């Protein structure tokens, strides 16, 4: 049963559910890695809250596409549909916050559009958008504090924004099955992120938002090297006991 | 170098509409905005509240327990402030 | 009215002491600004700090399995549980701070080894079943210890414990449920569960502290109503609770001497290896260095973040203290 990778449904709904679900699942996993390592105890609680929200979203979304555990634990790396941004390692706290800022602003605007529409994701997005608004708020407040804090935090935050910039373009590649105005999404995202970044006395990177290896690649199952290790860790126990219940 | 020790804040939570905010505990935060968010994450993660106040602990002025007697005793000898002080004939209602 | 320190003036300590003793005797709560004996304050700071440290060090052995949790449901439960432990640590540091000792000072003492945390967390979580054993046995022992603390004479500690105990019951149940799923699962899963119980049973019994005859702080703490029951009393209570629970799990407790004593109305159990306890306490447990090392590293690596937020607050006129 573990030999053959789980095949994806071809229906656009399943494709979209996997894209959104994998984004939430993978980012939740990364945030879960912070447990016991956060810079201050209050932040242990905050990061875990965000991780738990995302995990809840992931479970709902994956269940739309199939069995949540089969999808999470028995797919190979090439079958995951998350954007490369969310799989990027935590790095220092600035790197995590930059990833949160880029992603949560995107997710907030995306879910806002989905919630306002009448598609199959509207109910889920309507609930999740409130959670995501808080994730965005958290990321924005920390971006301000790190950017406009000390010389060191400013430098770290700028480095983080620069390093992750190339993974942001993918967030605006159309996903089959989602009726979203992707151009408006990109414009809204750029305006919102620019505003926060500048208020934080930081500069938005001016390089390309994507390259040959990042443009829509995660959605096609092309991931970055750290992702394979993340999955190996996440899946090994489940895969070691084929057919077991937990 | 800036001091990395964040000040202490007292947290008050209104558990539901119609009730007053009550003291829930304290936490550390660099400023009021973060204190409010930390309080939300820490003290309402099981939906314990609908509204939160945060107050810098340093801003709380408290009566000293040493002055307990002069401060609170005088009120104790004014039983006429309490409704039970008054005798009302049996059968009188709505009073 | 505002500037007087709690112990200001040259008032007669014995008069204060009489008021304090009377309040404790009458089951009234002692509150932060009340006069209290120095030793009472010191005992509380030591105990609450150790308790808080245990919560945050205790995050590590379980967080060790968050990234490997075998189902998404289990993963959510475990993340929420580890998060609760951070929360409990915060409630407790908050209670300790009412006694005039800042959290930074307490963390500093933890990091430099001058204050302790529960020795149980110096044992490793080797398999997924250990997460269940911690929930059932370690949290179970902790709850047995902590429920009486909800009536502790010091108000802020008692209030923190009420909150914590409410939240802890989920911790114990999820552990039990996790073990039950393993015990009723495949042969390999059942073996994993039994192995975990075999390793965690004795350390859990040690969590109640040394036998009454050798417990150095107990008598005074009982007199002050910080502590309500003796170590041995609570340990016995825990054993009596666990025996039928283990039977329902289909797992055995690793003690050949464990049997019901009709006369006492309690279970007799085997001798605890206090040499091991003392050894782990002295720093020779399997994970002492690892636990404190990770804690210290998280704190040190987070310094620039805490400094940044403080600098931002100062710049924007938002700092208060």
């Amino acid at each position: 049963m573990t030999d053959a990778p789980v095949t994806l449904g071809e229906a656009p709904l399943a494709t979209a559910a996997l894209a959104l679900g994998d984004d939430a699942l993978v980012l939740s996993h990364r945030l879960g890695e912070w447990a016991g390592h956060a810079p201050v105890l209050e932040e242990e609680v905050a990061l875990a809250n965000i991780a738990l929200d995302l995990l809840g979203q992931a479970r709902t979304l994956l269940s739309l596409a199939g069995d949540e555990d089969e999808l999470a634990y028995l797919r190979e790396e090439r079958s995951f549909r998350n954007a490369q941004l969310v799989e990027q390692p935590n790095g220092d706290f600035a790197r995590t916050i930059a990833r949160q800022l880029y992603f949560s602003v995107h997710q907030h605007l995306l879910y806002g559009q989905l919630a306002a529409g009448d598609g199959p994701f509207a109910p889920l997005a309507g609930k999740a958008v409130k959670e995501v608004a808080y994730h965005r708020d958290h990321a924005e407040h920390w971006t301000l504090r790190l950017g406009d804090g000390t010389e060191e935090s400013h430098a770290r935050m700028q480095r983080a924004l620069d390093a992750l910039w190339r993974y942001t373009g993918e967030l605006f590649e159309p996903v089959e099955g989602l009726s979203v105005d992707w151009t408006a999404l990109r414009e809204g995202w750029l305006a919102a992120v620019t505003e926060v970044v500048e208020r934080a006395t930081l500069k938005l990177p001016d390089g390309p938002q994507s390259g040959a290896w990042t443009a829509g690649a995660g959605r096609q199952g092309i991931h970055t090297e750290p992702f394979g290790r993340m999955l190996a860790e996440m899946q090994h126990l489940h895969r070691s006991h084929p057919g077991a219940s937990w | 170098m800036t001091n990395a020790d964040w000040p202490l804040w007292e947290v008050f939570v209104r558990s539901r509409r119609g009730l007053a905010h009550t003291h829930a505990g304290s936490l550390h935060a660099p400023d009021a905005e973060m204190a409010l968010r930390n309080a939300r994450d820490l003290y309402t993660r099981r939906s314990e509240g609908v509204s939160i106040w945060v107050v810098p602990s340093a801003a709380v002025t408290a009566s000293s327990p040493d002055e307990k007697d002069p401060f609170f005793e005088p009120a104790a000898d004014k039983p006429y402030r309490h409704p039970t002080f008054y005798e009302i004939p049996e059968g009188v209602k709505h009073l | 009215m505002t500037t007087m320190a709690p112990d200001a003036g040259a008032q007669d300590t014995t008069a204060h002491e009489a008021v304090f003793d009377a309040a404790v005797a009458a089951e009234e709560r002692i509150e932060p600004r009340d006069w209290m004996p120095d030793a009472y304050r010191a005992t509380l700071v030591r105990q609450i700090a150790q308790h808080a440290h245990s919560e945050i060090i205790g995050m590590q052995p379980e967080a060790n399995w968050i990234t490997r949790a075998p189902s998404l449901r289990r993963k959510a439960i475990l993340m929420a549980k580890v998060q609760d432990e951070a929360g409990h640590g915060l409630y407790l540091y908050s209670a300790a701070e009412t006694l005039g000792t800042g959290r930074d000072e307490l963390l500093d003492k933890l990091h430099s080894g001058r204050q302790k945390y529960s020795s149980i967390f110096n044992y490793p979580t080797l398999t997924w079943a250990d997460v269940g054993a911690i929930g059932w046995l370690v949290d179970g022992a902790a709850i047995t210890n902590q429920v009486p603390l909800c009536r502790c004479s010091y108000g802020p500690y008692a209030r923190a414990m009420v909150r914590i105990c409410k939240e802890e019951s989920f911790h114990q149940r999820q552990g039990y449920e996790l073990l039950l799923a393993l015990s009723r699962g495949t042969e390999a899963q059942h073996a994993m569960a039994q192995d975990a119980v075999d390793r965690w049973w004795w350390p859990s019994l040690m969590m109640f502290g040394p036998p009454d005859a050798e417990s150095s702080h107990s008598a005074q703490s009982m007199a002050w109503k910080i502590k309500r029951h003796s170590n041995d009393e609570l340990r016995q209570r825990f054993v009596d609770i666990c025996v039928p629970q283990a039977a329902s799990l289909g797992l055995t407790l690793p003690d050949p001497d464990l049997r019901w004593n009709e006369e006492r109305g309690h279970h007799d159990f085997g001798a605890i290896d206090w040499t091991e306890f003392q050894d782990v306490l002295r720093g020779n447990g399997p994970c002492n260095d690892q636990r404190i090392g990770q804690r210290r590293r998280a704190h040190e690596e987070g310094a620039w973040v805490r400094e940044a937020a403080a600098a931002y607050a100062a710049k924007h006129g938002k700092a208060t203290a």
Side-chain angles (χ1 to χ4, degrees):
Chain A
M1 137 166 213
T2 52
D3 294 337
V6 175
T7 49
L8 305 178
E10 289 302 314
L13 173 71
T15 309
L18 284 182
L20 299 177
D22 287 348
D23 278 352
L25 176 70
V26 171
L27 187 57
S28 165
H29 184 95
R30 284 298 190 204
L31 291 172
E33 292 174 352
W34 271 105
H37 299 274
V40 64
L41 288 172
E42 278 80 359
E43 211 49 36
E44 293 278 0
V45 185
L47 292 170
N49 262 353
I50 297 172
L52 283 168
D53 285 345
L54 289 166
L55 185 52
Q57 295 165 14
R59 295 181 65 190
T60 310
L61 284 158
L62 293 183
S63 298
L64 293 176
D67 178 85
E68 60 173 42
D69 285 336
E70 276 186 29
L71 288 168
Y73 291 99
L74 298 178
R75 270 183 300 161
E76 302 286 337
E77 182 178 339
R78 294 277 280 106
S79 302
F80 274 80
R81 292 291 177 257
N82 56 285
Q84 291 182 359
L85 175 68
V86 294
E87 75 203 32
Q88 296 311 306
N90 288 337
D92 64 3
F93 190 66
R95 187 68 74 102
T96 289
I97 291 300
R99 193 181 61 200
Q100 285 302 113
L101 178 73
Y102 287 156
F103 185 75
S104 64
V105 173
H106 157 78
Q107 200 190 9
H108 188 225
L109 297 175
L110 175 68
Y111 279 36
Q113 280 203 33
L114 293 174
D118 54 4
F121 295 104
L124 170 133
K127 175 176 177 285
V129 76
K130 291 181 206 137
E131 296 171 350
V132 178
Y134 188 76
H135 306 171
R136 175 179 173 176
D137 175 88
H138 175 265
E140 291 180 351
H141 274 86
W142 271 113
T143 301
L144 291 175
R145 279 155 186 78
L146 298 184
D148 196 12
T150 63
E151 213 172 298
E152 180 183 4
S153 70
H154 178 89
R156 282 177 186 259
M157 193 62 207
Q158 187 62 59
R159 270 203 301 279
L161 290 173
D162 293 349
L164 294 175
W165 183 246
R166 59 198 292 247
Y167 300 105
T168 56
E170 188 184 1
L171 301 174
F172 310 103
E173 298 283 338
V175 174
E176 202 190 347
L178 293 183
S179 51
V180 166
D181 181 344
W182 296 96
T183 312
L185 186 68
R186 181 195 283 270
E187 282 166 6
W189 181 88
L190 196 61
V193 169
T194 305
E195 191 274 327
V196 177
V197 164
E198 287 180 354
R199 203 144 47 90
T201 74
L202 296 158
K203 267 180 52 198
L204 208 63
D206 46 17
Q209 259 182 294
S210 55
W213 276 94
T214 55
R219 304 284 185 224
Q220 313 300 324
I222 302 290
H223 295 280
T224 54
E225 282 187 355
F227 186 55
R229 286 183 184 282
M230 193 203 102
L231 282 188
E233 183 174 341
M234 183 174 109
Q235 297 181 335
H236 103 269
L237 176 59
H238 185 100
R239 284 177 179 256
S240 304
H241 297 263
S245 325
W246 300 94
Chain B
M1 199 178 78
T2 323
N3 188 352
D5 297 351
W6 294 350
L8 191 66
W9 301 75
E10 299 300 325
V11 179
F12 299 82
V13 176
R14 183 202 294 288
S15 55
R16 58 186 161 83
R17 301 185 70 83
L19 295 181
H21 287 77
T22 49
H23 187 235
S26 65
L27 50 73
H28 288 266
D31 55 55
E33 290 175 332
M34 295 302 271
L36 205 52
R37 283 158 182 80
N38 291 345
R40 177 255 192 200
D41 287 334
L42 181 60
Y43 288 104
T44 67
R45 58 185 195 289
R46 284 180 170 78
S47 316
E48 295 98 330
V50 294
S51 164
I52 300 174
W53 293 343
V54 290
V55 180
S57 305
V60 174
T61 304
S63 60
S64 162
D66 278 358
E67 294 180 34
K68 189 171 174 179
D69 290 354
F71 215 66
F72 296 109
E73 283 293 300
D77 69 353
K78 297 182 184 64
Y80 45 82
R81 285 189 189 277
H82 300 279
T84 47
F85 180 75
Y86 304 94
E87 273 181 43
I88 302 295
E90 260 182 58
V92 176
K93 288 178 180 166
H94 307 299
L95 196 69
Chain C
M1 174 178 116
T2 58
T3 54
M4 239 174 138
D7 55 353
Q11 271 133 332
D12 190 5
T13 302
T14 46
H16 279 311
E17 195 137 27
V19 173
F20 171 86
D21 288 344
V24 170
E27 293 288 336
E28 277 179 31
R29 295 286 175 266
I30 305 301
E31 294 294 343
R33 291 165 57 86
D34 290 340
W35 184 92
M36 60 188 87
D38 290 343
Y40 176 84
R41 183 184 299 272
T43 299
L44 277 169
V45 169
R46 183 177 53 78
Q47 183 173 334
I48 301 174
Q50 176 167 336
H51 195 165
H53 298 332
S54 301
E55 294 282 356
I56 62 166
I57 293 286
M59 295 170 72
Q60 291 182 29
E62 291 177 280
N64 185 34
W65 283 92
I66 287 180
T67 52
R68 292 178 286 174
S71 74
L72 296 185
R73 174 173 175 270
R74 291 285 172 207
K75 187 171 176 152
I77 292 168
L78 186 55
M79 264 205 265
K81 177 174 192 257
V82 173
Q83 181 196 41
D84 269 354
E85 275 146 20
H88 296 174
L90 286 167
Y91 301 157
L92 289 161
Y93 284 122
S94 159
E97 292 202 73
T98 62
L99 291 158
T101 312
R103 194 211 294 178
D104 293 290
E105 187 184 331
L106 298 175
L107 284 177
D108 194 46
K109 285 185 172 156
L110 168 67
H111 297 155
S112 60
R114 281 173 295 155
Q115 278 179 347
K116 297 198 180 313
Y117 55 89
S118 177
S119 273
I120 193 83
F121 300 118
N122 290 319
Y123 290 89
T125 46
L126 301 179
T127 72
W128 170 250
D130 290 29
V131 172
I134 288 185
W136 176 41
L137 296 174
V138 176
D139 292 332
I143 292 170
T144 309
N145 260 330
Q146 290 169 2
V147 166
L149 288 173
C150 297
R151 294 185 295 123
C152 159
S153 61
Y154 187 58
Y157 191 25
R159 290 191 287 276
M161 290 317 304
V162 168
R163 207 180 173 100
I164 290 172
C165 284
K166 260 191 229 164
E167 300 184 354
E168 284 279 351
S169 56
F170 131 60
H171 295 184
Q172 194 188 14
R173 274 171 174 247
Q174 67 81 33
Y176 192 82
E177 190 209 62
L178 191 163
L179 285 177
L180 192 64
L182 295 179
S183 179
R184 293 179 178 174
T186 65
E187 211 172 303
Q189 285 178 307
H190 182 90
M192 193 194 280
Q194 184 60 58
D195 167 62
V197 169
D198 289 347
R199 280 181 290 111
W200 288 93
W201 172 249
W202 290 107
S204 301
L205 294 190
M206 295 178 198
M207 285 176 69
F208 295 93
D212 294 348
E214 293 154 37
S215 178
S216 47
H217 304 292
S218 285
Q220 182 60 73
S221 286
M222 300 262 276
W224 278 331
K225 297 188 180 171
I226 293 174
K227 204 176 155 97
R228 297 275 179 172
H229 306 279
S230 80
N231 295 351
D232 287 332
E233 201 181 332
L234 291 170
R235 188 169 11 246
Q236 181 69 60
R237 185 180 298 177
F238 178 67
V239 171
D240 290 339
I241 289 172
C242 286
V243 170
Q245 290 178 348
S248 298
L249 276 177
L251 298 173
T252 54
L253 296 171
D255 179 358
D257 298 324
L258 189 64
R259 65 180 54 86
W260 177 250
N261 182 326
E262 191 66 51
E263 207 173 304
R264 290 203 306 126
H266 290 292
H267 291 87
D268 289 338
F269 52 98
I272 293 172
D273 181 1
W274 292 108
T275 331
E276 176 182 317
F277 177 77
Q278 293 300 341
D279 201 36
V280 176
L281 204 61
R282 267 195 302 272
N284 298 324
C287 299
N288 299 54
D289 293 344
Q290 181 189 329
R291 300 287 186 242
I292 209 70
Q294 178 180 326
R295 186 52 231 147
R296 222 182 272 152
R297 211 160 41 246
H299 190 74
E300 282 162 12
E301 287 173 2
W304 71 270
V305 176
R306 300 191 299 276
E307 281 161 18
Y312 178 88
K315 256 188 241 182
H316 294 267
K318 290 171 175 172
T320 53

